[in-house]
Amino acid sequence: MILLARFFCNSHRYSQVESSFDKKSDYRLKRKGHFEKKNRERISTYLYNMASPEIEEKLAPLRAAVKEYGDLVRSLKKNGVPKMDIDRAVAELKARKKILEECEIALIPKDVSFFDRLKFEDLLKQRFFYDQSFAIYGGVTGLYDFGPMGCAMKTNMINLWRNHFVLEENMLEVDCSVLTPETVLKASGHVDRFSDWMVKDLKNGECFRADHLIKNFAEKMCEDMKTPANVKEELKEVLAKLEGFNDADMHNVIVKYNIKSPITGNEVSEPIAFNLMFPTVIGPTGDFKAYLRPETAQGIFVNFKRLLEFNQGKLPFAAAQIGSGFRNEISPRQGLIRVREFTMCEIEHFVDPNNKSHPKFEQVQDYKLILFSACNQMDGASAETMSIGDAIAKKLVANETLGYYMVRVHKYLMRIGVDPKRLRFRQHLTNEMAHYACDCWDAEILTSYGWIECVGIADRACYDLSQHSKATGEKLVAEKVLSEPKTVQVIEAIPNKAAIGKIYKTEAKQIFARLEQLTSEEIEMLEKEIISTGNAKLHCEDKEVELQKDYITVKRYEKKVHTEEFYPSVIEPSFGIGRIMYSVLEHSFRQREGDEQRVYFALRPVVAPIKCSLLPISANPRFEPIMAAVRSELAKFSVSYKQDDSSGSLGRRYARTDAIGIPFGITVDFESESEPWTVTLRYSITMEQVRLKVSDVGKTVADLSSERMSWNEAQQIYPKFEQKSGS
Amino acid sequence: MILLARFFCNSHRYSQVESSFDKKSDYRLKRKGHFEKKNRERISTYLYNMASPEIEEKLAPLRAAVKEYGDLVRSLKKNGVPKMDIDRAVAELKARKKILEECEIALIPKDVSFFDRLKFEDLLKQRFFYDQSFAIYGGVTGLYDFGPMGCAMKTNMINLWRNHFVLEENMLEVDCSVLTPETVLKASGHVDRFSDWMVKDLKNGECFRADHLIKNFAEKMCEDMKTPANVKEELKEVLAKLEGFNDADMHNVIVKYNIKSPITGNEVSEPIAFNLMFPTVIGPTGDFKAYLRPETAQGIFVNFKRLLEFNQGKLPFAAAQIGSGFRNEISPRQGLIRVREFTMCEIEHFVDPNNKSHPKFEQVQDYKLILFSACNQMDGASAETMSIGDAIAKKLVANETLGYYMVRVHKYLMRIGVDPKRLRFRQHLTNEMAHYACDCWDAEILTSYGWIECVGIADRACYDLSQHSKATGEKLVAEKVLSEPKTVQVIEAIPNKAAIGKIYKTEAKQIFARLEQLTSEEIEMLEKEIISTGNAKLHCEDKEVELQKDYITVKRYEKKVHTEEFYPSVIEPSFGIGRIMYSVLEHSFRQREGDEQRVYFALRPVVAPIKCSLLPISANPRFEPIMAAVRSELAKFSVSYKQDDSSGSLGRRYARTDAIGIPFGITVDFESESEPWTVTLRYSITMEQVRLKVSDVGKTVADLSSERMSWNEAQQIYPKFEQKSGS
């Protein structure tokens, strides 16, 4: 999923997301020319408001076209036709979904209020929320540095995440290495499958993402008046199906249309898989290969035994990790949405695969979410609002634990200020999911880039733990007490220690250990081989040893067992902090009515980078003792503040602090001096003010900032203050 | 720096620190055999108590021997003798210092109470504070994963750091990329000079740190009865001077004593410099070389312009960064002290080089620190306690800003629980410092590994900003208003635009830009060359262009200027969080008197991983509503807790929570049920208890945990509670 998308279907998912973004923006851009560039910013607002009946009417036939193929796919699956036929139908289904989406975009009413991304980005840059890394060295695409504002906001989001998940759900938080040996990522599947398709300019070696190359070519051709209509039709189909293309499909298109490097005009290579992990080596010899972790999850899996022990052997439990992940994107664009280095928050909730109920599910069952189920996607229908309890009852969401986390994720996103109307949970279609996953829902947030996946919540079954078990021989399992004892057939290969010891000497110990590890199936096979050929080969620590007939005795017996070992299933919510932060900033961007130049961020106090401003009404030095007292009160409660004693008018200074999303403003004025000292406190969103004692200001702003107290409550407690001079 | 040590003297500093650790432990280990292994743990306690007069008497002649050479070095410097002679004297000085230190160790009284590192490490492992990464895959040296306890403690330390520095000192916190292009680290000097000397087994390629190889060989020889006395003497001298050896010195020793690989007996190569940065590549082409950052500081320097602008162009200001650093150590040992991946907190305080006063210095001038000045080190004298005001007045500490930070660092280390008696500030000797640094003090903490540098506080002058300016052509300078306007000579190379444009066409623009950038010196040289040869070469964006006589006019004039540009100086406090955390854990490790098995961590509440335990006096379900009310109160104030409703006795459950440093314990008992509900609150260090209302418990534990309230204050407010059953 995003960051998130588990790679097995990843190169695929990536191109899907990225190409659909590009499509939307490029489409508008090219159709209308750059003068109309701002139109593309309207998409978000449009989609937000799009439920109008006129629009729905126009979309109805397209929805029906999607449904037709959705139904077809279902019936093919039901009848168990060959996979290839299903895939073909799914490709057509997706093509129709895409046409539906494009039509939605084309229907944007011209008069909807729009989001001004240029002004927005200006403000972010100017107040150093974040900016390109190493800009004085020319910059590096896909790398960003967070300035004081962005860094504080990110810290606040992470602290809140920790409270909301780790603390409130009693999770075990860990902090594991970024450097990860190749063997670990080989077992997890990343070394073999975490890649995108790329083509190279055959003369100068320049690299392009294969799907981007095709997309750009096809779009250009479709816009060209000279392109024959039948070719346009073909290329439109290519564009619609591109997401599902493998290397051969893409190569065929490149050959058929003779697509060249757009820069040099040289021929390009066949698509080659480019692994998205950053390689390095540990230690001086150069032969200990490692990668920067592409996700934090693996650190949790390899610590499973320690964590289970820490939890006194009991399931379920959840572990969490907050940290950096790295992905060597071929050509990242789109700001914080697609980056090479990012902060993730991941949870791995370990649970009995036969009982995925959640003890706190009852508390959330009536909580309503906007769900865009696989079924609705296949029917061309819209997302629908539903309580999570109903969704579970209807088997739309696979299990309670998954459902519980969807609610917790939603609550978290609400707490940090995501607009609830621009948040939906989209279920993966069967062929989008990793082969081992049971169910997966992405929390998607609507921004001017379109719907972007910000949190993935997947039931990953027992894939990860069993993979690492296979690779290491360590049993990463939990144990449960059976409700009643069970009789099991035991089969053991008992070594003839004397005979083996005589032949294999020091190696004998390893052979004994290996024999103990063998599964029942392996023993049966070994036995069969010995019976038929008189001896058998045993793979033992990189060597093969030969076991003669009399080296082992196979023993079979029945045993009553009271406990059972099993691989826990893993439910994984995985958050991309950068993407979420970008979305919150976009949703919080405002222009003061009647003064478009006065832009600001209406951030929730809990995520605001700085909690309050501290402004003397004038630069008079007599205010300094009161200012000092306020600062000391704020420090006592660890409240961040920005003092602005410049000579600008109070209104101008308020505007400046509003711009960076400072929710509260403390002003020291001439009234402040009467004992006991008081100050005024202003809330930036409503611009209302109250007056309170200096000795109360630290605790009050701390409570307001942590949202233990609302502004309304503060207004109940403290007298309203009306400024004479407006602003 | 530690981690920190600025590489220019780094390989050197590293070996110094590492070898002295190894020396201490190996020395005891080998001298006494493994039965006496625990003795080495006594060092810390010994050094801690070492001020006894008997010991001082024995050390006096050794101290005098050190002083003799300290004086010699001083007089040589004063007389300006060649550097080589000074270096030789410094080497001898260090050898004598080392003998002094070893004698101190040898004098450990046998009866001092000792720190039991084995028990300590057991507890850390068992409660998963931290442990080796990827252990199920065999582990990787120098990489550690923090478990729930370690991770929470680290988070607390970092949050406190952020409050103590970023918030209280109004710093600009940033969060920059780990991936760093080679060009950036070339400019900073890391590519060329951030390395250790290594030798390779000539047959199998195995690598050893050259200084370790020599040390181990020499120590073994010295212990061997068969080694002739004169060889032993020679080798002792080698050991004493090893820290200062360069590659040639080490090679000579290896050849002279025919030192081979200790594993294969094969010959080894000459020492080769091994760069300690982890290499990688960005993007798919493979030719964009990059490294994982070896420190976070560079991210701040390359953002200097944005930060200065954010601060409205004003100096001084400080920027801070918390994040991971990476160093590819050749053969890391010593647990958290020497690792390949670590968390750093760094501050870069930018200040006018001509005015390094600090506005808040007055507030701290009477604060006392233990200072181990370069002078005292050269005199063989001990560290001494002194107020920072006196240290500045005596010019021991170079400037107020440096001194102010030393105090702030000390206060931070006190807040998180470092033992003040085991903390000193050691000044770098002149030849330990990077060539550009003015003064550097390390906060060293005494642990069972000896004195380890945990925070480095250096005045780095304007080295970093000027290096990046040179490399990029961006002026990383600040501007100040002159007290009175100044007349300056201006010299400009005015291009003849028509002439240049005609010849160089599109390149002309670059040439004009380049001419504008030239320094006065460069223009003078250009002019001279043109006069003498008729034309001159100008280096312009990777090309050389030829300027004919009539292409430029050199113009000279006087100008009155009111402002002046300058490179700010940088004062840099740099913290190694892992080392500090290790030290705090060691200083907090306790055994209950009379019950050595009952070990625990007496952590300061503010860093404790979990703030309180929640224990029902028995598993009676009637307590559940009260427990739920307590949990909700704790959640409201984001207080972490651990519920233990297992059937063990209360005493046993307390012991379990004490072990992991939980400072407060809430117990629900039968008295709790009378309205209004109450609970008892226990402080683990003193085992005292009070009783308070459930509705007060969240706020009270939050205040106690953040140390806004002390336990004594809590005892004033709430009635004492005496448990009948002891514990």
Side-chain angles (χ1 to χ4, degrees), chain A residues 498-513:
Chain A
I500 294 177
K502 205 167 147 196
I503 304 295
Y504 287 103
K505 310 231 158 61
T506 53
E507 285 171 54
K509 235 175 155 179
Q510 290 165 18
I511 299 174
F512 302 154

PDB file of all heavy atoms in Angstrom, chain A residues 498-513:
ATOM      1  N   ALA A 498      25.352 -43.704  17.440  1.00  0.00           N
ATOM      2  CA  ALA A 498      26.682 -44.317  17.355  1.00  0.00           C
ATOM      3  C   ALA A 498      27.124 -44.411  15.892  1.00  0.00           C
ATOM      4  O   ALA A 498      28.223 -43.973  15.528  1.00  0.00           O
ATOM      5  CB  ALA A 498      26.649 -45.701  17.988  1.00  0.00           C
ATOM      6  N   ALA A 499      26.231 -44.918  15.048  1.00  0.00           N
ATOM      7  CA  ALA A 499      26.597 -45.124  13.643  1.00  0.00           C
ATOM      8  C   ALA A 499      26.894 -43.810  12.938  1.00  0.00           C
ATOM      9  O   ALA A 499      27.915 -43.675  12.249  1.00  0.00           O
ATOM     10  CB  ALA A 499      25.452 -45.865  12.930  1.00  0.00           C
ATOM     11  N   ILE A 500      26.026 -42.836  13.163  1.00  0.00           N
ATOM     12  CA  ILE A 500      26.233 -41.541  12.504  1.00  0.00           C
ATOM     13  C   ILE A 500      27.488 -40.862  13.034  1.00  0.00           C
ATOM     14  O   ILE A 500      28.300 -40.331  12.272  1.00  0.00           O
ATOM     15  CB  ILE A 500      24.995 -40.633  12.699  1.00  0.00           C
ATOM     16  CG1 ILE A 500      23.790 -41.235  11.974  1.00  0.00           C
ATOM     17  CG2 ILE A 500      25.272 -39.219  12.176  1.00  0.00           C
ATOM     18  CD1 ILE A 500      22.489 -40.476  12.139  1.00  0.00           C
ATOM     19  N   GLY A 501      27.651 -40.922  14.350  1.00  0.00           N
ATOM     20  CA  GLY A 501      28.806 -40.296  14.975  1.00  0.00           C
ATOM     21  C   GLY A 501      30.116 -40.859  14.413  1.00  0.00           C
ATOM     22  O   GLY A 501      31.067 -40.113  14.170  1.00  0.00           O
ATOM     23  N   LYS A 502      30.137 -42.141  14.214  1.00  0.00           N
ATOM     24  CA  LYS A 502      31.347 -42.803  13.727  1.00  0.00           C
ATOM     25  C   LYS A 502      31.744 -42.272  12.353  1.00  0.00           C
ATOM     26  O   LYS A 502      32.916 -42.029  12.084  1.00  0.00           O
ATOM     27  CB  LYS A 502      31.064 -44.305  13.640  1.00  0.00           C
ATOM     28  CG  LYS A 502      32.314 -45.172  13.749  1.00  0.00           C
ATOM     29  CD  LYS A 502      31.919 -46.609  13.976  1.00  0.00           C
ATOM     30  CE  LYS A 502      32.893 -47.560  13.321  1.00  0.00           C
ATOM     31  NZ  LYS A 502      32.316 -48.914  13.224  1.00  0.00           N
ATOM     32  N   ILE A 503      30.744 -42.095  11.495  1.00  0.00           N
ATOM     33  CA  ILE A 503      31.044 -41.659  10.131  1.00  0.00           C
ATOM     34  C   ILE A 503      31.236 -40.147  10.057  1.00  0.00           C
ATOM     35  O   ILE A 503      32.192 -39.654   9.472  1.00  0.00           O
ATOM     36  CB  ILE A 503      29.875 -42.044   9.172  1.00  0.00           C
ATOM     37  CG1 ILE A 503      29.596 -43.540   9.238  1.00  0.00           C
ATOM     38  CG2 ILE A 503      30.179 -41.603   7.735  1.00  0.00           C
ATOM     39  CD1 ILE A 503      30.726 -44.412   8.725  1.00  0.00           C
ATOM     40  N   TYR A 504      30.309 -39.414  10.692  1.00  0.00           N
ATOM     41  CA  TYR A 504      30.304 -37.963  10.457  1.00  0.00           C
ATOM     42  C   TYR A 504      31.000 -37.148  11.534  1.00  0.00           C
ATOM     43  O   TYR A 504      31.104 -35.928  11.412  1.00  0.00           O
ATOM     44  CB  TYR A 504      28.869 -37.466  10.244  1.00  0.00           C
ATOM     45  CG  TYR A 504      28.330 -37.888   8.894  1.00  0.00           C
ATOM     46  CD1 TYR A 504      27.430 -38.940   8.772  1.00  0.00           C
ATOM     47  CD2 TYR A 504      28.790 -37.251   7.742  1.00  0.00           C
ATOM     48  CE1 TYR A 504      26.973 -39.337   7.535  1.00  0.00           C
ATOM     49  CE2 TYR A 504      28.328 -37.641   6.500  1.00  0.00           C
ATOM     50  CZ  TYR A 504      27.420 -38.687   6.400  1.00  0.00           C
ATOM     51  OH  TYR A 504      26.963 -39.070   5.172  1.00  0.00           O
ATOM     52  N   LYS A 505      31.432 -37.812  12.599  1.00  0.00           N
ATOM     53  CA  LYS A 505      32.192 -37.139  13.666  1.00  0.00           C
ATOM     54  C   LYS A 505      31.577 -35.792  14.101  1.00  0.00           C
ATOM     55  O   LYS A 505      30.454 -35.769  14.579  1.00  0.00           O
ATOM     56  CB  LYS A 505      33.654 -36.934  13.220  1.00  0.00           C
ATOM     57  CG  LYS A 505      34.284 -38.216  12.685  1.00  0.00           C
ATOM     58  CD  LYS A 505      35.604 -38.515  13.324  1.00  0.00           C
ATOM     59  CE  LYS A 505      35.953 -40.001  13.216  1.00  0.00           C
ATOM     60  NZ  LYS A 505      36.073 -40.503  11.819  1.00  0.00           N
ATOM     61  N   THR A 506      32.340 -34.721  13.917  1.00  0.00           N
ATOM     62  CA  THR A 506      31.879 -33.417  14.428  1.00  0.00           C
ATOM     63  C   THR A 506      30.595 -32.936  13.760  1.00  0.00           C
ATOM     64  O   THR A 506      29.863 -32.128  14.307  1.00  0.00           O
ATOM     65  CB  THR A 506      32.961 -32.332  14.215  1.00  0.00           C
ATOM     66  OG1 THR A 506      33.324 -32.363  12.835  1.00  0.00           O
ATOM     67  CG2 THR A 506      34.194 -32.600  15.059  1.00  0.00           C
ATOM     68  N   GLU A 507      30.339 -33.432  12.558  1.00  0.00           N
ATOM     69  CA  GLU A 507      29.124 -32.984  11.872  1.00  0.00           C
ATOM     70  C   GLU A 507      27.872 -33.683  12.397  1.00  0.00           C
ATOM     71  O   GLU A 507      26.749 -33.288  12.074  1.00  0.00           O
ATOM     72  CB  GLU A 507      29.225 -33.253  10.366  1.00  0.00           C
ATOM     73  CG  GLU A 507      30.156 -32.287   9.643  1.00  0.00           C
ATOM     74  CD  GLU A 507      30.387 -32.733   8.205  1.00  0.00           C
ATOM     75  OE1 GLU A 507      29.390 -32.928   7.484  1.00  0.00           O
ATOM     76  OE2 GLU A 507      31.560 -32.906   7.816  1.00  0.00           O
ATOM     77  N   ALA A 508      28.089 -34.745  13.175  1.00  0.00           N
ATOM     78  CA  ALA A 508      26.957 -35.573  13.588  1.00  0.00           C
ATOM     79  C   ALA A 508      25.895 -34.745  14.312  1.00  0.00           C
ATOM     80  O   ALA A 508      24.692 -34.898  14.077  1.00  0.00           O
ATOM     81  CB  ALA A 508      27.456 -36.706  14.482  1.00  0.00           C
ATOM     82  N   LYS A 509      26.370 -33.826  15.141  1.00  0.00           N
ATOM     83  CA  LYS A 509      25.451 -33.005  15.924  1.00  0.00           C
ATOM     84  C   LYS A 509      24.479 -32.237  15.043  1.00  0.00           C
ATOM     85  O   LYS A 509      23.277 -32.140  15.320  1.00  0.00           O
ATOM     86  CB  LYS A 509      26.266 -31.992  16.740  1.00  0.00           C
ATOM     87  CG  LYS A 509      25.973 -32.050  18.217  1.00  0.00           C
ATOM     88  CD  LYS A 509      26.900 -31.130  18.951  1.00  0.00           C
ATOM     89  CE  LYS A 509      26.294 -30.690  20.260  1.00  0.00           C
ATOM     90  NZ  LYS A 509      27.227 -29.812  20.993  1.00  0.00           N
ATOM     91  N   GLN A 510      25.022 -31.689  13.959  1.00  0.00           N
ATOM     92  CA  GLN A 510      24.166 -30.951  13.025  1.00  0.00           C
ATOM     93  C   GLN A 510      23.136 -31.868  12.393  1.00  0.00           C
ATOM     94  O   GLN A 510      22.005 -31.482  12.142  1.00  0.00           O
ATOM     95  CB  GLN A 510      25.004 -30.319  11.907  1.00  0.00           C
ATOM     96  CG  GLN A 510      25.873 -29.174  12.387  1.00  0.00           C
ATOM     97  CD  GLN A 510      26.936 -28.810  11.367  1.00  0.00           C
ATOM     98  OE1 GLN A 510      26.824 -29.170  10.196  1.00  0.00           O
ATOM     99  NE2 GLN A 510      27.969 -28.113  11.817  1.00  0.00           N
ATOM    100  N   ILE A 511      23.564 -33.097  12.110  1.00  0.00           N
ATOM    101  CA  ILE A 511      22.630 -34.045  11.497  1.00  0.00           C
ATOM    102  C   ILE A 511      21.500 -34.373  12.477  1.00  0.00           C
ATOM    103  O   ILE A 511      20.325 -34.391  12.111  1.00  0.00           O
ATOM    104  CB  ILE A 511      23.373 -35.328  11.052  1.00  0.00           C
ATOM    105  CG1 ILE A 511      24.429 -34.960  10.000  1.00  0.00           C
ATOM    106  CG2 ILE A 511      22.397 -36.377  10.523  1.00  0.00           C
ATOM    107  CD1 ILE A 511      25.318 -36.099   9.578  1.00  0.00           C
ATOM    108  N   PHE A 512      21.860 -34.588  13.748  1.00  0.00           N
ATOM    109  CA  PHE A 512      20.806 -34.862  14.748  1.00  0.00           C
ATOM    110  C   PHE A 512      19.809 -33.696  14.808  1.00  0.00           C
ATOM    111  O   PHE A 512      18.595 -33.897  14.842  1.00  0.00           O
ATOM    112  CB  PHE A 512      21.408 -35.072  16.148  1.00  0.00           C
ATOM    113  CG  PHE A 512      22.415 -36.198  16.210  1.00  0.00           C
ATOM    114  CD1 PHE A 512      23.424 -36.201  17.181  1.00  0.00           C
ATOM    115  CD2 PHE A 512      22.358 -37.264  15.303  1.00  0.00           C
ATOM    116  CE1 PHE A 512      24.349 -37.225  17.243  1.00  0.00           C
ATOM    117  CE2 PHE A 512      23.296 -38.293  15.358  1.00  0.00           C
ATOM    118  CZ  PHE A 512      24.298 -38.275  16.332  1.00  0.00           C
ATOM    119  N   ALA A 513      20.376 -32.493  14.810  1.00  0.00           N
ATOM    120  CA  ALA A 513      19.514 -31.310  14.911  1.00  0.00           C
ATOM    121  C   ALA A 513      18.589 -31.220  13.700  1.00  0.00           C
ATOM    122  O   ALA A 513      17.391 -30.955  13.823  1.00  0.00           O
ATOM    123  CB  ALA A 513      20.371 -30.046  15.005  1.00  0.00           C
TER     124      ALA A 513
END
